[in-house]
Amino acid sequence: MTSSFDRAPRIEMDRLILRAHTPHDLPTCAAMWSNEDVVRYIGGRPFTREEVWARLLRYAGMWVVMGHGFWAIEEKASGRMIGEVGIMEARRDIEPSVEGTPEVGWALTPAAHGKGYAAEALGAALRWADTALRAPRTVCIISPENAPSIRLAGKFGFRELARTIYHGEPTLQFERLRQDG
């Protein structure tokens, strides 16, 4: 049986594989998204298993409808899923609006923190976006308290665009111009 979970292109790096999510990822994703260290700056509360399932379906649908979406990040050495990275069209109710601009996001399990995996995965996702989407810019939103993600975004050329409020919380918007070559 073929499913829309198979629409994301597979990207292999030295230590990681970016691949489509599958229904089998639900337990790992649910554990990640219920971890307080993961959600501290992303929504501020653990997600339920039902909410994570809806997230997985949204990932698959994004690839089908928009031609981009989120990948599962798999560690090559262990075969374990260690996080997610990707590009979305969130249509957020946020000012200034970034609607129509590819938005990048990432989250890794706490066990994967501090190993350079986020940089490896984000770099691959951005290279793919620059080549496949050819959008003049990408954006991301980050909590002003999330210093590691702000540093990571800066490493890839994201610069602060605006300070705003999203879901009642202070939020920073960043933008990055497409890298050609």
Side-chain angles (χ1 to χ4, degrees), residues 1 34 70 83 88 95 99 109 119-120 129-130 178 180-181:
M1 180 170 123
S34 67
F70 271 68
M88 67 183 131
E95 290 297 328
E99 194 167 313
T109 62
E120 191 173 335
D130 287 346
R178 183 179 69 231
D180 291 316

Side-chain angles (χ1 to χ4, degrees), residues 94-96 144 150 160-166 170-174:
I94 192 170
E95 290 297 328
I150 292 170
E160 189 175 314
L161 174 66
R163 293 174 181 255
T164 188
I165 302 293
Y166 183 62
T171 301
L172 302 176
Q173 287 182 339
F174 293 85

Side-chain angles (χ1 to χ4, degrees), residues 36-66:
E36 290 184 13
D37 289 334
V38 173
V39 300
R40 176 180 305 132
Y41 305 119
I42 307 172
R45 66 161 182 82
F47 291 82
T48 66
R49 185 175 182 275
E50 180 180 350
E51 289 169 324
V52 174
W53 178 245
R55 180 183 287 269
L56 288 177
L57 295 176
R58 183 175 68 214
Y59 294 157
M62 190 73 65
W63 282 105
V64 173
V65 173
M66 302 300 298

Side-chain angles (χ1 to χ4, degrees), residues 98-149:
V98 292
E99 194 167 313
T101 304
E103 181 181 332
V104 179
W106 59 90
L108 277 75
T109 62
H113 292 179
K115 298 179 180 180
Y117 288 156
E120 191 173 335
L122 181 58
L126 289 169
R127 284 187 298 279
W128 179 88
D130 287 346
T131 301
L133 300 180
R134 304 290 303 159
R137 68 186 186 120
T138 51
V139 296
C140 65
I141 64 170
I142 303 173
S143 166
E145 297 175 359
N146 190 346
S149 283

Side-chain angles (χ1 to χ4, degrees), residues 14-49:
D14 290 341
R15 303 181 300 159
L16 303 174
I17 298 169
L18 302 185
R19 61 164 177 79
H21 287 83
T22 73
H24 301 289
D25 291 324
L26 180 59
T28 303
C29 289
M32 182 178 81
W33 287 108
S34 67
N35 186 297
E36 290 184 13
D37 289 334
V38 173
V39 300
R40 176 180 305 132
Y41 305 119
I42 307 172
R45 66 161 182 82
F47 291 82
T48 66
R49 185 175 182 275

Side-chain angles (χ1 to χ4, degrees), residues 64-77:
V64 173
V65 173
M66 302 300 298
H68 55 77
F70 271 68
W71 289 272
I73 304 169
E74 185 177 299
E75 184 182 50
K76 272 187 175 178

